[in-house]
Amino acid sequence: MPELPEVETIKNSLQPLLKDEMIRKVDVYYPGILRNMGSEEFASTAKDRCIKSVQRRGKYLLITLSDGYTLIIHLKMSGQLVVTSAGEPVRKHTHLIFHLCADKQLRYIDTRKFGMIFLVPDDDWSQTCGLRYLGPEPLEEEFTPKVLADALEERQIGIKAFLLDQSMIAGIGNIYADEILFAAGIDPRRRTRSLNDKEKEQLYCSIRNKLTEGIANRGTTLRDYIDGLGGKGGFQAKLEVYGRKNKLCNRCGNELTGTVCSGRSTVYCPNCQK
DNA sequence: GGAGTTGTTCCGCC
DNA sequence: AGGCGGAACAACTC
């Protein structure tokens, strides 16, 4: 569930809380989350390292530790990363606790256990797991209208599949894909090659606008998503189509249509999206 | 207790 | 050969 705006919000909330904190001890309750080492190795490698920075790449969170190691975290559907005091009751589905200074803790909670955590040497973090295949960051300068237009021309797939493909653009998931297509006035069943120049430009603007709006509203909380302080997002109140199947379009009043595109639930307005 | 949920990966096909 | 589509998978909640 956490897509770019949610992971960005988590990053922003964690950064000031974790910077320069020392990892004193790690407790692993569910080793399945650790994808490249066992509990003991993970705990002993992370122990006594200092947290240098918290960054985001696509939907991945990167926590840089001292002396050349990085924690790579993907929250998948229901992962949460929260800073608490040591006295705070341990919530159900807490799989990992990092003991920091004083009585501070960083906890990993994940009801569905789909999340992934890697602990890798710095020099190969960009080669680890899905990070290697990530496309450009849509809010960075590298992502220009031309980059998008070329990528669209290069492929012959459904536009929704394109937006969800992390190797094309990093960070868009099902919620923002639907919202972006609604904002751009593009039918989710269209194919990449079918977009004209104007539609490509609208798509570009909608990608930037919707992701920026998501961040400005601190993300979308439908079920599990919370930031590093346990705070909920506000963007769910602004969703135009996602989760609004058979409801009325905020723009034209017609009924929204639910369908499946690229194997994912999809909602769109047949009147506003051509 | 079955359906619904999503990001990623893998496999088979053209 | 490689792009593409679809399915499988992870495991829990309601």
Side-chain angles (χ1 to χ4, degrees):
Chain A
M1 241 27 176
E3 306 179 24
L4 186 150
E6 288 74 35
V7 181
E8 179 73 11
T9 305
I10 293 170
K11 181 209 80 180
N12 290 337
S13 60
L14 288 180
Q15 169 78 26
L17 297 172
L18 296 184
K19 192 166 165 31
D20 300 326
E21 283 284 336
M22 181 72 86
I23 298 173
R24 302 271 178 210
K25 178 168 164 262
V26 185
D27 288 330
V28 181
Y29 300 103
Y30 177 76
I33 294 294
L34 309 175
R35 300 308 174 97
N36 72 331
M37 43 177 84
S39 307
E40 293 81 10
E41 188 186 1
F42 182 86
S44 63
T45 308
K47 186 173 149 48
D48 294 332
R49 286 182 202 271
C50 187
I51 297 175
K52 284 166 46 179
S53 73
V54 185
Q55 295 164 276
R56 179 193 59 76
R57 175 82 173 96
K59 299 172 190 169
Y60 291 84
L61 212 51
L62 308 170
I63 301 182
T64 311
L65 307 181
S66 54
D67 303 312
Y69 270 85
T70 299
L71 270 170
I72 300 177
I73 302 175
H74 195 302
L75 302 166
K76 287 288 186 91
M77 283 181 73
S78 57
Q80 303 174 335
L81 219 41
V82 248
V83 174
T84 67
S85 65
E88 191 112 346
V90 176
R91 282 177 44 200
K92 198 176 171 184
H93 307 303
T94 298
H95 305 311
L96 211 57
I97 295 183
F98 295 89
H99 298 258
L100 309 173
C101 296
D103 72 336
K104 204 187 269 188
Q105 298 186 344
L106 173 66
R107 299 181 182 180
Y108 179 77
I109 304 154
D110 188 350
T111 50
R112 291 184 189 73
K113 298 180 177 167
F114 293 174
M116 321 187 275
I117 297 181
F118 299 82
L119 181 53
V120 301
D122 276 346
D123 49 17
D124 68 32
W125 71 256
S126 65
Q127 293 307 307
T128 309
C129 52
L131 279 167
R132 167 176 19 181
Y133 306 108
L134 288 187
E137 282 293 325
L139 297 180
E140 297 295 321
E141 274 181 31
E142 59 179 336
F143 184 66
T144 62
K146 184 173 184 335
V147 167
L148 176 65
D150 289 350
L152 286 165
E153 281 308 315
E154 205 167 274
R155 309 277 262 144
Q156 300 203 58
I157 57 176
I159 187 64
K160 174 116 180 196
F162 176 85
L163 291 175
L164 294 174
D165 186 339
Q166 303 301 299
S167 70
M168 295 288 106
I169 307 167
I172 299 173
N174 205 31
I175 298 174
Y176 290 91
D178 276 13
E179 296 301 314
I180 286 164
L181 289 169
F182 176 81
I186 296 169
D187 188 312
R189 299 165 300 176
R190 296 271 297 278
R191 297 182 67 81
T192 47
R193 286 273 187 89
S194 80
L195 301 198
N196 63 34
D197 288 349
K198 189 170 173 227
E199 289 169 330
K200 287 176 194 162
E201 183 64 32
Q202 282 168 337
L203 185 63
Y204 178 80
C205 293
S206 300
I207 290 169
R208 306 267 293 207
N209 290 342
K210 282 291 152 186
L211 294 175
T212 303
E213 222 185 308
I215 294 169
N217 287 274
R218 303 182 56 78
T220 306
T221 299
L222 292 172
R223 294 177 192 81
D224 302 299
Y225 163 72
I226 49 175
D227 68 20
L229 282 163
K232 293 183 176 178
F235 197 58
Q236 61 280 3
K238 311 218 168 164
L239 296 178
E240 306 269 16
V241 284
Y242 182 88
R244 299 194 66 241
K245 177 182 172 181
N246 296 336
K247 293 206 162 65
L248 302 183
C249 173
N250 291 328
R251 189 166 159 268
C252 75
N254 282 25
E255 189 174 332
L256 300 176
T257 300
T259 184
V260 173
C261 288
S262 170
R264 295 294 163 229
S265 69
T266 299
V267 184
Y268 68 102
C269 174
N271 187 45
C272 297
Q273 296 173 257
K274 300 295 185 192

